[in-house]
Amino acid sequence: DAGVIQSPRHEVTEMGQEVTLRCKPISGHNSLFWYRQTMMRGLELLIYFNNNVPIDDSGMPEDRFSAKMPNASFSTLKIQPSEPRDSAVYFCASSPWTSGRDGDTQYFGPGTRLTVL
Amino acid sequence: LAKTTQPISMDSYEGQEVNITCSHNNIATNDYITWYQQFPSQGPRFIIQGYKTKVTNEVASLFIPADRKSSTLSLPRVSLSDTAVYYCLVVGASSMFSGGYNKLIFGAGTRLAVHP
């Protein structure tokens, strides 16, 4: 199993530009999570999907952030326009959570390090 | 979601057993306790999960007392490669559809340094 795949691994862009981060979850997993990690704020949950449907996006910092999951094998996190304070490592995670089973376990991707100049 | 408290940092030496304790005083009946490990420049990696008493796998052991208000991650005979940040999470997936995961907070974790 290839694990969770994220692209790009590194992204450097200028303020005001659109940034799109991509994630391919582990095949068969039905839950997907987007996180952001910084030294100041630690690891923050931004949004999560279950069966391709966004369940809760209350962690998304601003309207400049949006996420989609058009199918079970692909998700995107978009920032438009980007700002220097968006610089962080963005992680995608997937989970095989099934109805009635507690104790969900998440499998994280390698992350995308975003730098906004 | 139960808030967790764990030490900011710990130091150990190769070959020693390391115990990291996490407090979660308001854990709910349906909550599980999960520990993750994170190396620099990598995403967190699942280590172990438990509900009560003791759980052991090839990597670690997890001890949970009867009142479940705390848990202890035990790493036997650590090596230099165990230097990482360790996160304790308390979460119940049954709350997922009621928005429970919007409070999934990893916190600062415990930064473990293993010395030669």
Side-chain angles (χ1 to χ4, degrees), chain B residues 1-7 21-27 32-35 69 71 87-91 105-109:
Chain B
L1 198 68
K3 179 181 177 180
T4 60
T5 303
Q6 50 185 125
T21 298
C22 179
S23 297
H24 27 80
N25 291 322
N26 58 338
I27 188 170
Y32 275 67
I33 301 158
T34 308
W35 285 81
K69 293 179 183 267
S71 59
Y87 298 96
C88 164
L89 270 80
V90 174
V91 62
I105 302 172
F106 273 71

PDB file of all heavy atoms in Angstrom, chain B residues 1-7 21-27 32-35 69 71 87-91 105-109:
ATOM      1  N   LEU B   1     -15.037  16.889  23.347  1.00  0.00           N
ATOM      2  CA  LEU B   1     -13.797  16.138  23.258  1.00  0.00           C
ATOM      3  C   LEU B   1     -12.971  16.402  24.496  1.00  0.00           C
ATOM      4  O   LEU B   1     -12.814  17.539  24.910  1.00  0.00           O
ATOM      5  CB  LEU B   1     -13.027  16.593  22.022  1.00  0.00           C
ATOM      6  CG  LEU B   1     -11.936  15.656  21.544  1.00  0.00           C
ATOM      7  CD1 LEU B   1     -12.542  14.385  21.018  1.00  0.00           C
ATOM      8  CD2 LEU B   1     -11.101  16.312  20.476  1.00  0.00           C
ATOM      9  N   ALA B   2     -12.445  15.332  25.082  1.00  0.00           N
ATOM     10  CA  ALA B   2     -11.674  15.457  26.311  1.00  0.00           C
ATOM     11  C   ALA B   2     -10.357  16.166  26.047  1.00  0.00           C
ATOM     12  O   ALA B   2      -9.624  15.828  25.135  1.00  0.00           O
ATOM     13  CB  ALA B   2     -11.424  14.081  26.891  1.00  0.00           C
ATOM     14  N   LYS B   3     -10.042  17.164  26.908  1.00  0.00           N
ATOM     15  CA  LYS B   3      -8.763  17.851  26.785  1.00  0.00           C
ATOM     16  C   LYS B   3      -7.697  16.981  27.405  1.00  0.00           C
ATOM     17  O   LYS B   3      -7.911  16.321  28.414  1.00  0.00           O
ATOM     18  CB  LYS B   3      -8.832  19.193  27.502  1.00  0.00           C
ATOM     19  CG  LYS B   3      -7.536  19.969  27.456  1.00  0.00           C
ATOM     20  CD  LYS B   3      -7.649  21.280  28.208  1.00  0.00           C
ATOM     21  CE  LYS B   3      -6.325  22.008  28.222  1.00  0.00           C
ATOM     22  NZ  LYS B   3      -6.416  23.293  28.956  1.00  0.00           N
ATOM     23  N   THR B   4      -6.522  16.991  26.810  1.00  0.00           N
ATOM     24  CA  THR B   4      -5.426  16.183  27.323  1.00  0.00           C
ATOM     25  C   THR B   4      -4.287  17.067  27.782  1.00  0.00           C
ATOM     26  O   THR B   4      -4.059  18.148  27.237  1.00  0.00           O
ATOM     27  CB  THR B   4      -4.914  15.217  26.251  1.00  0.00           C
ATOM     28  OG1 THR B   4      -4.439  15.973  25.129  1.00  0.00           O
ATOM     29  CG2 THR B   4      -6.018  14.277  25.783  1.00  0.00           C
ATOM     30  N   THR B   5      -3.560  16.591  28.771  1.00  0.00           N
ATOM     31  CA  THR B   5      -2.381  17.271  29.297  1.00  0.00           C
ATOM     32  C   THR B   5      -1.253  16.270  29.387  1.00  0.00           C
ATOM     33  O   THR B   5      -1.405  15.196  29.972  1.00  0.00           O
ATOM     34  CB  THR B   5      -2.663  17.853  30.691  1.00  0.00           C
ATOM     35  OG1 THR B   5      -3.784  18.736  30.624  1.00  0.00           O
ATOM     36  CG2 THR B   5      -1.446  18.624  31.181  1.00  0.00           C
ATOM     37  N   GLN B   6      -0.116  16.637  28.785  1.00  0.00           N
ATOM     38  CA  GLN B   6       1.052  15.774  28.825  1.00  0.00           C
ATOM     39  C   GLN B   6       2.300  16.635  28.965  1.00  0.00           C
ATOM     40  O   GLN B   6       2.269  17.827  28.644  1.00  0.00           O
ATOM     41  CB  GLN B   6       1.115  14.878  27.576  1.00  0.00           C
ATOM     42  CG  GLN B   6       0.956  15.603  26.249  1.00  0.00           C
ATOM     43  CD  GLN B   6       0.916  14.667  25.059  1.00  0.00           C
ATOM     44  OE1 GLN B   6      -0.010  14.697  24.264  1.00  0.00           O
ATOM     45  NE2 GLN B   6       1.971  13.858  24.912  1.00  0.00           N
ATOM     46  N   PRO B   7       3.407  16.050  29.443  1.00  0.00           N
ATOM     47  CA  PRO B   7       4.626  16.859  29.616  1.00  0.00           C
ATOM     48  C   PRO B   7       5.116  17.400  28.283  1.00  0.00           C
ATOM     49  O   PRO B   7       4.955  16.765  27.239  1.00  0.00           O
ATOM     50  CB  PRO B   7       5.621  15.870  30.235  1.00  0.00           C
ATOM     51  CG  PRO B   7       5.069  14.518  29.945  1.00  0.00           C
ATOM     52  CD  PRO B   7       3.587  14.668  29.883  1.00  0.00           C
ATOM     53  N   THR B  21       3.064  10.009  30.421  1.00  0.00           N
ATOM     54  CA  THR B  21       1.709  10.000  30.964  1.00  0.00           C
ATOM     55  C   THR B  21       0.879  11.149  30.405  1.00  0.00           C
ATOM     56  O   THR B  21       1.369  12.257  30.230  1.00  0.00           O
ATOM     57  CB  THR B  21       1.736  10.085  32.502  1.00  0.00           C
ATOM     58  OG1 THR B  21       2.409   8.928  33.007  1.00  0.00           O
ATOM     59  CG2 THR B  21       0.327  10.113  33.075  1.00  0.00           C
ATOM     60  N   CYS B  22      -0.360  10.857  30.137  1.00  0.00           N
ATOM     61  CA  CYS B  22      -1.303  11.840  29.604  1.00  0.00           C
ATOM     62  C   CYS B  22      -2.524  11.889  30.528  1.00  0.00           C
ATOM     63  O   CYS B  22      -3.064  10.845  30.895  1.00  0.00           O
ATOM     64  CB  CYS B  22      -1.711  11.429  28.198  1.00  0.00           C
ATOM     65  SG  CYS B  22      -2.884  12.524  27.393  1.00  0.00           S
ATOM     66  N   SER B  23      -2.929  13.083  30.889  1.00  0.00           N
ATOM     67  CA  SER B  23      -4.126  13.257  31.724  1.00  0.00           C
ATOM     68  C   SER B  23      -5.304  13.657  30.861  1.00  0.00           C
ATOM     69  O   SER B  23      -5.173  14.519  29.989  1.00  0.00           O
ATOM     70  CB  SER B  23      -3.879  14.331  32.775  1.00  0.00           C
ATOM     71  OG  SER B  23      -2.848  13.960  33.651  1.00  0.00           O
ATOM     72  N   HIS B  24      -6.446  13.034  31.101  1.00  0.00           N
ATOM     73  CA  HIS B  24      -7.679  13.355  30.356  1.00  0.00           C
ATOM     74  C   HIS B  24      -8.844  13.185  31.321  1.00  0.00           C
ATOM     75  O   HIS B  24      -9.597  12.201  31.245  1.00  0.00           O
ATOM     76  CB  HIS B  24      -7.839  12.497  29.098  1.00  0.00           C
ATOM     77  CG  HIS B  24      -7.167  11.155  29.161  1.00  0.00           C
ATOM     78  ND1 HIS B  24      -7.712  10.070  29.810  1.00  0.00           N
ATOM     79  CD2 HIS B  24      -5.973  10.743  28.644  1.00  0.00           C
ATOM     80  CE1 HIS B  24      -6.903   9.043  29.684  1.00  0.00           C
ATOM     81  NE2 HIS B  24      -5.846   9.407  28.987  1.00  0.00           N
ATOM     82  N   ASN B  25      -8.991  14.143  32.214  1.00  0.00           N
ATOM     83  CA  ASN B  25      -9.934  14.031  33.323  1.00  0.00           C
ATOM     84  C   ASN B  25     -11.398  13.940  32.894  1.00  0.00           C
ATOM     85  O   ASN B  25     -12.215  13.346  33.598  1.00  0.00           O
ATOM     86  CB  ASN B  25      -9.750  15.206  34.289  1.00  0.00           C
ATOM     87  CG  ASN B  25      -8.431  15.120  35.029  1.00  0.00           C
ATOM     88  OD1 ASN B  25      -7.994  14.044  35.404  1.00  0.00           O
ATOM     89  ND2 ASN B  25      -7.796  16.265  35.225  1.00  0.00           N
ATOM     90  N   ASN B  26     -11.762  14.557  31.773  1.00  0.00           N
ATOM     91  CA  ASN B  26     -13.173  14.545  31.369  1.00  0.00           C
ATOM     92  C   ASN B  26     -13.427  13.627  30.186  1.00  0.00           C
ATOM     93  O   ASN B  26     -14.254  13.911  29.323  1.00  0.00           O
ATOM     94  CB  ASN B  26     -13.655  15.966  31.047  1.00  0.00           C
ATOM     95  CG  ASN B  26     -12.842  16.617  29.945  1.00  0.00           C
ATOM     96  OD1 ASN B  26     -11.706  16.228  29.692  1.00  0.00           O
ATOM     97  ND2 ASN B  26     -13.397  17.606  29.287  1.00  0.00           N
ATOM     98  N   ILE B  27     -12.745  12.501  30.169  1.00  0.00           N
ATOM     99  CA  ILE B  27     -12.936  11.526  29.094  1.00  0.00           C
ATOM    100  C   ILE B  27     -14.370  10.999  29.141  1.00  0.00           C
ATOM    101  O   ILE B  27     -14.928  10.756  30.212  1.00  0.00           O
ATOM    102  CB  ILE B  27     -11.914  10.381  29.221  1.00  0.00           C
ATOM    103  CG1 ILE B  27     -11.978   9.467  28.016  1.00  0.00           C
ATOM    104  CG2 ILE B  27     -12.095   9.624  30.529  1.00  0.00           C
ATOM    105  CD1 ILE B  27     -10.824   8.454  27.961  1.00  0.00           C
ATOM    106  N   TYR B  32     -11.977   6.731  23.012  1.00  0.00           N
ATOM    107  CA  TYR B  32     -10.787   5.887  23.004  1.00  0.00           C
ATOM    108  C   TYR B  32      -9.561   6.769  23.201  1.00  0.00           C
ATOM    109  O   TYR B  32      -9.601   7.978  22.975  1.00  0.00           O
ATOM    110  CB  TYR B  32     -10.657   5.142  21.675  1.00  0.00           C
ATOM    111  CG  TYR B  32     -11.438   3.851  21.610  1.00  0.00           C
ATOM    112  CD1 TYR B  32     -12.820   3.866  21.624  1.00  0.00           C
ATOM    113  CD2 TYR B  32     -10.787   2.630  21.535  1.00  0.00           C
ATOM    114  CE1 TYR B  32     -13.543   2.692  21.566  1.00  0.00           C
ATOM    115  CE2 TYR B  32     -11.490   1.438  21.469  1.00  0.00           C
ATOM    116  CZ  TYR B  32     -12.877   1.478  21.493  1.00  0.00           C
ATOM    117  OH  TYR B  32     -13.574   0.325  21.442  1.00  0.00           O
ATOM    118  N   ILE B  33      -8.468   6.167  23.640  1.00  0.00           N
ATOM    119  CA  ILE B  33      -7.212   6.888  23.837  1.00  0.00           C
ATOM    120  C   ILE B  33      -6.242   6.424  22.763  1.00  0.00           C
ATOM    121  O   ILE B  33      -6.002   5.219  22.612  1.00  0.00           O
ATOM    122  CB  ILE B  33      -6.638   6.606  25.240  1.00  0.00           C
ATOM    123  CG1 ILE B  33      -7.655   7.035  26.312  1.00  0.00           C
ATOM    124  CG2 ILE B  33      -5.308   7.328  25.428  1.00  0.00           C
ATOM    125  CD1 ILE B  33      -7.448   6.355  27.634  1.00  0.00           C
ATOM    126  N   THR B  34      -5.729   7.389  22.023  1.00  0.00           N
ATOM    127  CA  THR B  34      -4.849   7.076  20.901  1.00  0.00           C
ATOM    128  C   THR B  34      -3.559   7.866  21.017  1.00  0.00           C
ATOM    129  O   THR B  34      -3.584   9.042  21.372  1.00  0.00           O
ATOM    130  CB  THR B  34      -5.545   7.427  19.573  1.00  0.00           C
ATOM    131  OG1 THR B  34      -6.833   6.814  19.525  1.00  0.00           O
ATOM    132  CG2 THR B  34      -4.719   6.963  18.388  1.00  0.00           C
ATOM    133  N   TRP B  35      -2.454   7.223  20.716  1.00  0.00           N
ATOM    134  CA  TRP B  35      -1.150   7.883  20.726  1.00  0.00           C
ATOM    135  C   TRP B  35      -0.562   7.880  19.310  1.00  0.00           C
ATOM    136  O   TRP B  35      -0.620   6.873  18.604  1.00  0.00           O
ATOM    137  CB  TRP B  35      -0.190   7.174  21.681  1.00  0.00           C
ATOM    138  CG  TRP B  35      -0.474   7.448  23.125  1.00  0.00           C
ATOM    139  CD1 TRP B  35      -1.424   6.851  23.906  1.00  0.00           C
ATOM    140  CD2 TRP B  35       0.199   8.378  23.977  1.00  0.00           C
ATOM    141  NE1 TRP B  35      -1.382   7.357  25.192  1.00  0.00           N
ATOM    142  CE2 TRP B  35      -0.394   8.292  25.264  1.00  0.00           C
ATOM    143  CE3 TRP B  35       1.247   9.279  23.789  1.00  0.00           C
ATOM    144  CZ2 TRP B  35       0.028   9.082  26.341  1.00  0.00           C
ATOM    145  CZ3 TRP B  35       1.666  10.052  24.852  1.00  0.00           C
ATOM    146  CH2 TRP B  35       1.062   9.957  26.119  1.00  0.00           C
ATOM    147  N   LYS B  69      -8.964   8.284  33.609  1.00  0.00           N
ATOM    148  CA  LYS B  69      -8.668   9.718  33.600  1.00  0.00           C
ATOM    149  C   LYS B  69      -7.227  10.015  33.220  1.00  0.00           C
ATOM    150  O   LYS B  69      -6.820  11.176  33.139  1.00  0.00           O
ATOM    151  CB  LYS B  69      -8.989  10.314  34.966  1.00  0.00           C
ATOM    152  CG  LYS B  69     -10.480  10.306  35.279  1.00  0.00           C
ATOM    153  CD  LYS B  69     -10.752  10.887  36.643  1.00  0.00           C
ATOM    154  CE  LYS B  69     -12.246  10.795  36.960  1.00  0.00           C
ATOM    155  NZ  LYS B  69     -12.973  11.942  36.612  1.00  0.00           N
ATOM    156  N   SER B  71      -3.571   8.018  31.073  1.00  0.00           N
ATOM    157  CA  SER B  71      -3.024   6.864  30.374  1.00  0.00           C
ATOM    158  C   SER B  71      -1.508   7.031  30.306  1.00  0.00           C
ATOM    159  O   SER B  71      -1.001   8.163  30.361  1.00  0.00           O
ATOM    160  CB  SER B  71      -3.619   6.705  28.978  1.00  0.00           C
ATOM    161  OG  SER B  71      -3.375   7.852  28.178  1.00  0.00           O
ATOM    162  N   TYR B  87       2.031  12.408  20.707  1.00  0.00           N
ATOM    163  CA  TYR B  87       0.750  13.055  20.969  1.00  0.00           C
ATOM    164  C   TYR B  87      -0.246  12.064  21.554  1.00  0.00           C
ATOM    165  O   TYR B  87      -0.363  10.933  21.076  1.00  0.00           O
ATOM    166  CB  TYR B  87       0.147  13.613  19.671  1.00  0.00           C
ATOM    167  CG  TYR B  87       0.962  14.674  18.986  1.00  0.00           C
ATOM    168  CD1 TYR B  87       1.828  14.356  17.949  1.00  0.00           C
ATOM    169  CD2 TYR B  87       0.852  16.015  19.357  1.00  0.00           C
ATOM    170  CE1 TYR B  87       2.559  15.327  17.292  1.00  0.00           C
ATOM    171  CE2 TYR B  87       1.588  17.001  18.708  1.00  0.00           C
ATOM    172  CZ  TYR B  87       2.444  16.643  17.679  1.00  0.00           C
ATOM    173  OH  TYR B  87       3.162  17.619  17.039  1.00  0.00           O
ATOM    174  N   CYS B  88      -0.954  12.528  22.549  1.00  0.00           N
ATOM    175  CA  CYS B  88      -2.039  11.754  23.146  1.00  0.00           C
ATOM    176  C   CYS B  88      -3.365  12.379  22.726  1.00  0.00           C
ATOM    177  O   CYS B  88      -3.552  13.589  22.866  1.00  0.00           O
ATOM    178  CB  CYS B  88      -1.891  11.789  24.671  1.00  0.00           C
ATOM    179  SG  CYS B  88      -3.340  11.294  25.613  1.00  0.00           S
ATOM    180  N   LEU B  89      -4.251  11.572  22.191  1.00  0.00           N
ATOM    181  CA  LEU B  89      -5.570  12.056  21.784  1.00  0.00           C
ATOM    182  C   LEU B  89      -6.660  11.214  22.408  1.00  0.00           C
ATOM    183  O   LEU B  89      -6.488  10.007  22.587  1.00  0.00           O
ATOM    184  CB  LEU B  89      -5.736  11.982  20.264  1.00  0.00           C
ATOM    185  CG  LEU B  89      -5.311  13.182  19.466  1.00  0.00           C
ATOM    186  CD1 LEU B  89      -3.800  13.163  19.302  1.00  0.00           C
ATOM    187  CD2 LEU B  89      -5.960  13.164  18.103  1.00  0.00           C
ATOM    188  N   VAL B  90      -7.749  11.859  22.752  1.00  0.00           N
ATOM    189  CA  VAL B  90      -8.918  11.162  23.267  1.00  0.00           C
ATOM    190  C   VAL B  90     -10.093  11.535  22.370  1.00  0.00           C
ATOM    191  O   VAL B  90     -10.461  12.692  22.273  1.00  0.00           O
ATOM    192  CB  VAL B  90      -9.206  11.556  24.721  1.00  0.00           C
ATOM    193  CG1 VAL B  90     -10.515  10.930  25.185  1.00  0.00           C
ATOM    194  CG2 VAL B  90      -8.062  11.132  25.620  1.00  0.00           C
ATOM    195  N   VAL B  91     -10.649  10.555  21.709  1.00  0.00           N
ATOM    196  CA  VAL B  91     -11.712  10.855  20.747  1.00  0.00           C
ATOM    197  C   VAL B  91     -12.613   9.656  20.565  1.00  0.00           C
ATOM    198  O   VAL B  91     -12.193   8.519  20.675  1.00  0.00           O
ATOM    199  CB  VAL B  91     -11.092  11.267  19.390  1.00  0.00           C
ATOM    200  CG1 VAL B  91     -10.264  10.128  18.805  1.00  0.00           C
ATOM    201  CG2 VAL B  91     -12.140  11.723  18.408  1.00  0.00           C
ATOM    202  N   ILE B 105      -7.915  18.015  18.578  1.00  0.00           N
ATOM    203  CA  ILE B 105      -6.758  18.867  18.779  1.00  0.00           C
ATOM    204  C   ILE B 105      -5.587  18.017  19.234  1.00  0.00           C
ATOM    205  O   ILE B 105      -5.670  17.333  20.250  1.00  0.00           O
ATOM    206  CB  ILE B 105      -7.057  19.949  19.835  1.00  0.00           C
ATOM    207  CG1 ILE B 105      -8.265  20.777  19.384  1.00  0.00           C
ATOM    208  CG2 ILE B 105      -5.838  20.836  20.054  1.00  0.00           C
ATOM    209  CD1 ILE B 105      -8.747  21.740  20.431  1.00  0.00           C
ATOM    210  N   PHE B 106      -4.501  18.104  18.495  1.00  0.00           N
ATOM    211  CA  PHE B 106      -3.324  17.322  18.849  1.00  0.00           C
ATOM    212  C   PHE B 106      -2.539  17.958  19.992  1.00  0.00           C
ATOM    213  O   PHE B 106      -1.835  17.288  20.710  1.00  0.00           O
ATOM    214  CB  PHE B 106      -2.426  17.150  17.627  1.00  0.00           C
ATOM    215  CG  PHE B 106      -2.791  15.964  16.776  1.00  0.00           C
ATOM    216  CD1 PHE B 106      -3.943  15.979  16.020  1.00  0.00           C
ATOM    217  CD2 PHE B 106      -1.991  14.842  16.752  1.00  0.00           C
ATOM    218  CE1 PHE B 106      -4.290  14.890  15.234  1.00  0.00           C
ATOM    219  CE2 PHE B 106      -2.332  13.746  15.962  1.00  0.00           C
ATOM    220  CZ  PHE B 106      -3.482  13.772  15.215  1.00  0.00           C
ATOM    221  N   GLY B 107      -2.632  19.236  20.184  1.00  0.00           N
ATOM    222  CA  GLY B 107      -1.877  19.877  21.238  1.00  0.00           C
ATOM    223  C   GLY B 107      -0.394  19.927  20.920  1.00  0.00           C
ATOM    224  O   GLY B 107       0.033  19.625  19.801  1.00  0.00           O
ATOM    225  N   ALA B 108       0.406  20.267  21.907  1.00  0.00           N
ATOM    226  CA  ALA B 108       1.848  20.430  21.704  1.00  0.00           C
ATOM    227  C   ALA B 108       2.589  19.108  21.743  1.00  0.00           C
ATOM    228  O   ALA B 108       3.697  18.988  21.245  1.00  0.00           O
ATOM    229  CB  ALA B 108       2.420  21.378  22.744  1.00  0.00           C
ATOM    230  N   GLY B 109       1.996  18.080  22.347  1.00  0.00           N
ATOM    231  CA  GLY B 109       2.656  16.790  22.433  1.00  0.00           C
ATOM    232  C   GLY B 109       3.815  16.799  23.417  1.00  0.00           C
ATOM    233  O   GLY B 109       4.111  17.805  24.069  1.00  0.00           O
TER     234      GLY B 109
END
